[in-house]
Amino acid sequence: MRKPVIAGNWKMNKTISESIELVNGLKRELIDIQEVEIIVCPVYTALSDISDLIVDSNIFLGAQNVYWKTSGAFTGEISPLMLKDVGCKYAIIGHSERRKYFNESDQSVNKRIKAALREGLTPIFCVGETLEEREANKTTDVVKRQLSEGLEGLEKEALLNLIIAYEPVWAIGTGKTATPEQAQEIHGFIRSWLVENCSEEVAESLRILYGGSVKETNIKELMQQNDIDGALVGGASLDSSSFVGIVKNSLG
Ligand code: 13P
């Protein structure tokens, strides 16, 4: 059985005090939920305070990116060691906004994934096609390339510690969610790719999250699909009651 994951990607939002307020609300409302792995990914400046706040709770901490070197002259970057040090268990890697605005490539995503795994962080590895690619019927080609290049050279055992997020770019922040069937089609494709290229064991145990305009009102239907194991939530994770609603409605 794959434990469902609901992760909030706060993107570049919230000051430290706003982050604390949000997490206090989540702690109050979600205290009894053990059946879902709940993750929040605040901005770097809030990580330390949020880490202290969620110690011994059922909420876990993730970062929104990670560099592949441990330390050194890399102005503006942050290493896996530093993220572990502040209490992160997860790191989002290869988000489409990083690929689009900061020129991250499949190759640099691969380095980040390897470095995160080496340090014991669980990567939340994002893949997904643009609207143009979907309309040109290239969705599975794009996702296949992102998977094979992003996971290139990784041992099968390492892949057991990975989470994949399928986020169609056209559904991010647009209010246009993929239909449960559209999402399931690609989730199923990703799982078959894992069977062929990794192993049955990896494919069976790895969680595949859907991301793109997830809300309280659509999470239930998405979670009913065979290969959807949770969600990576942007906008709706910035408000305590909507994120709580998503977590609760994901329970089926
Ligand atoms: P929205 O939920 O705002 O569409 O964002 C999805 C996303 O990019 C999560 O990483």
Side-chain angles (χ1 to χ4, degrees), residues 9 11 92 95-97 126 167 171-175 211-214 232-236:
N9 173 10
K11 308 192 179 181
I92 297 172
H95 192 280
S96 61
E97 287 150 16
C126 302
E167 299 205 310
I172 295 178
T174 58
S213 300
V214 172
L232 182 55
V233 186

Side-chain angles (χ1 to χ4, degrees), residues 128-242:
E129 81 289 1
T130 62
L131 184 59
E132 215 177 18
E133 290 162 341
R134 174 161 282 262
E135 285 175 346
N137 279 327
K138 289 193 181 140
T139 300
T140 51
D141 291 346
V142 169
V143 171
K144 196 200 279 186
R145 189 206 71 228
Q146 290 170 333
L147 290 171
S148 62
E149 298 189 7
L151 301 179
E152 153 84 28
L154 280 162
E155 301 287 332
K156 283 179 193 153
E157 295 71 49
L159 288 165
L160 291 167
N161 300 317
L162 189 82
I163 293 174
I164 293 179
Y166 168 59
E167 299 205 310
V169 179
W170 49 271
I172 295 178
T174 58
K176 228 196 262 174
T177 325
T179 63
E181 295 73 26
Q182 277 174 322
Q184 168 57 34
E185 186 192 350
I186 306 305
H187 281 236
F189 171 79
I190 294 171
R191 210 175 298 284
S192 335
W193 185 91
L194 290 167
V195 172
E196 276 168 40
N197 293 277
C198 305
S199 69
E200 195 81 45
E201 189 197 0
V202 168
E204 267 310 303
S205 63
L206 192 150
R207 273 90 52 93
I208 308 175
L209 317 184
Y210 168 78
S213 300
V214 172
K215 303 185 263 298
E216 281 172 82
T217 48
N218 58 23
I219 185 70
K220 208 174 221 114
E221 265 191 303
L222 288 162
M223 292 299 287
Q224 281 163 357
Q225 304 298 315
N226 276 349
D227 293 298
I228 301 186
D229 306 312
L232 182 55
V233 186
S237 70
L238 296 173
D239 172 73
S240 171
S241 76
S242 69

